[in-house]
Amino acid sequence: KQWYQRRVRGMDSKIKLWEAYGSRRCIRTYAGHAKAVRDIVFNNDGSQYLSASYDRMMKLWDTETGECVSKFTTHKIPYCVQFNPEPSKQHLFISGMADKKIVGWDTRTGNIIQEYDRHLGPVNTVTFIERNISFVSTSDDKSIRVWDWDIPVDRKHLADPGMHSIPSCTISPTGKWLACQSMDNKITVFATQKLRLNRKKEFKGHMVAGYACQCNFSPDSAYLVSGDADGRCFIWDWKTTKVYKRFKAHEGVCIGCVWLPHETSKLVTCGWDGKIKLWD
């Protein structure tokens, strides 16, 4: 469902599900948050999704009926949410919080099952790696940490005076690479095995300082895409790291971009102008 239909989180506190094919209509509007929605993630089969909002609530929704199944809160703002991708652990998820913590939850009971409390700033992203037995977190404290699932002590900590805050991360379809949007106007790449920086892979040219612009791999890992603060969309060649194409996508910030996995020539972007665009 998540590939044939696109979901959009909104500053108006509403979540909308759009049809990517056919009439491209808005299929459903989900209303339940009191403030802007910051993050959304589907489970593996698309039957449910989690939303995180500035109203300090995380909600589990039934995609088809629009019913809010469960609510979760620590009374702090959740910055990101992520289901455990393992099929046997789809009832578990983690949330990165404004109070520097990563919190593990069980959707069946609504209880907190673990807290990961080592960051020194709000947690911006959590990304599962290494066949889902570990995850990577990034924070406003300008560090990257690697955690083993359900162990509250980080096993690797990357921090350097030259590092900047990372508001967005994406893992390659092969699971081999982690691309990180850095606030110094570049995308840096780490090998997920032992989380080592690949100094040969650095993507530049766009302006993202101060904005959490999303970056994404193409389904065949041949290209990397990102929006920027000037409303442009940049596509880089993965092998050469050179800009393959750039174009004006939105008036204002181009905040999000993602490929359609079944039609790899098509790209979806969204911007602060309130528009979602499908590009060929």
Side-chain angles (χ1 to χ4, degrees):
K1 286 186 179 179
Q2 64 263 47
W3 295 124
Y4 285 97
Q5 302 167 350
R6 302 306 304 165
R7 87 284 187 206
V8 178
R9 57 189 188 269
M11 294 298 287
D12 61 356
S13 79
K14 294 183 176 65
I15 301 163
K16 292 182 181 290
L17 187 70
W18 298 84
E19 196 174 47
Y21 299 108
S23 60
R24 297 171 185 168
R25 60 196 171 92
C26 178
I27 299 171
R28 186 179 291 278
T29 298
Y30 305 83
H33 284 293
K35 293 185 179 180
V37 180
R38 181 178 171 94
D39 195 23
I40 289 174
V41 63
F42 278 102
N43 64 0
N44 288 353
D45 63 9
S47 62
Q48 294 182 325
Y49 70 88
L50 283 163
S51 61
S53 169
Y54 286 102
D55 63 5
R56 303 172 188 259
M57 296 296 297
M58 292 163 282
K59 297 190 176 185
L60 180 66
W61 303 80
D62 184 292
T63 308
E64 187 171 352
T65 66
E67 178 189 1
C68 178
V69 180
S70 302
K71 301 176 183 180
F72 314 87
T73 186
T74 65
H75 305 291
K76 303 293 182 182
I77 296 173
Y79 275 21
C80 56
V81 285
Q82 192 67 249
F83 278 106
N84 188 314
E86 277 298 301
S88 62
K89 296 181 179 178
Q90 282 279 278
H91 58 282
L92 305 176
F93 76 92
I94 50 177
S95 58
M97 310 299 295
D99 64 350
K100 313 172 190 177
K101 295 180 181 179
I102 301 167
V103 183
W105 301 84
D106 189 326
T107 60
R108 299 173 302 183
T109 63
N111 294 334
I112 293 173
I113 57 171
Q114 189 59 270
E115 287 191 357
Y116 309 82
D117 188 11
R118 305 277 281 189
H119 276 295
L120 304 176
V123 179
N124 294 323
T125 70
V126 285
T127 309
F128 280 87
I129 61 170
E130 297 176 333
R131 302 183 305 279
N132 307 323
I133 61 174
S134 306
F135 64 90
V136 176
S137 60
T138 67
S139 165
D140 280 353
D141 64 9
K142 303 180 182 179
S143 74
I144 302 175
R145 295 175 187 264
V146 184
W147 314 77
D148 288 327
W149 177 258
D150 210 27
I151 298 176
V153 179
D154 52 314
R155 65 174 168 86
K156 188 162 188 176
H157 174 211
L158 299 179
D160 183 89
M163 288 178 65
H164 289 71
S165 178
I166 296 171
S168 172
C169 288
T170 185
I171 195 165
S172 67
T174 62
K176 187 177 179 181
W177 305 105
L178 183 71
C180 300
Q181 186 82 268
S182 179
M183 282 297 191
D184 57 347
N185 300 317
K186 64 184 179 184
I187 298 173
T188 55
V189 176
F190 294 84
T192 54
Q193 187 176 14
K194 298 184 179 180
L195 205 72
R196 290 179 178 173
L197 178 65
N198 187 339
R199 299 187 184 278
K200 294 181 180 179
K201 298 292 184 185
E202 196 172 85
F203 301 86
K204 300 179 179 179
H206 59 322
M207 299 291 293
V208 292
Y211 299 92
C213 294
Q214 180 186 17
C215 59
N216 256 306
F217 283 93
S218 63
D220 59 2
S221 298
Y223 300 99
L224 194 64
V225 66
S226 172
D228 87 342
D230 296 324
R232 298 172 296 176
C233 183
F234 281 74
I235 302 174
W236 292 270
D237 184 282
W238 171 254
K239 288 185 178 179
T240 66
T241 71
K242 293 181 179 179
V243 176
Y244 173 74
K245 187 173 289 186
R246 78 189 79 182
F247 56 91
K248 182 73 172 179
H250 294 273
E251 296 299 326
V253 181
C254 177
I255 199 70
C257 50
V258 64
W259 259 279
L260 290 183
H262 301 301
E263 284 190 84
T264 55
S265 64
K266 287 184 169 59
L267 184 72
V268 179
T269 64
C270 60
W272 282 13
D273 56 5
K275 295 180 180 178
I276 307 163
K277 296 183 179 182
L278 178 64
W279 303 86
D280 196 333

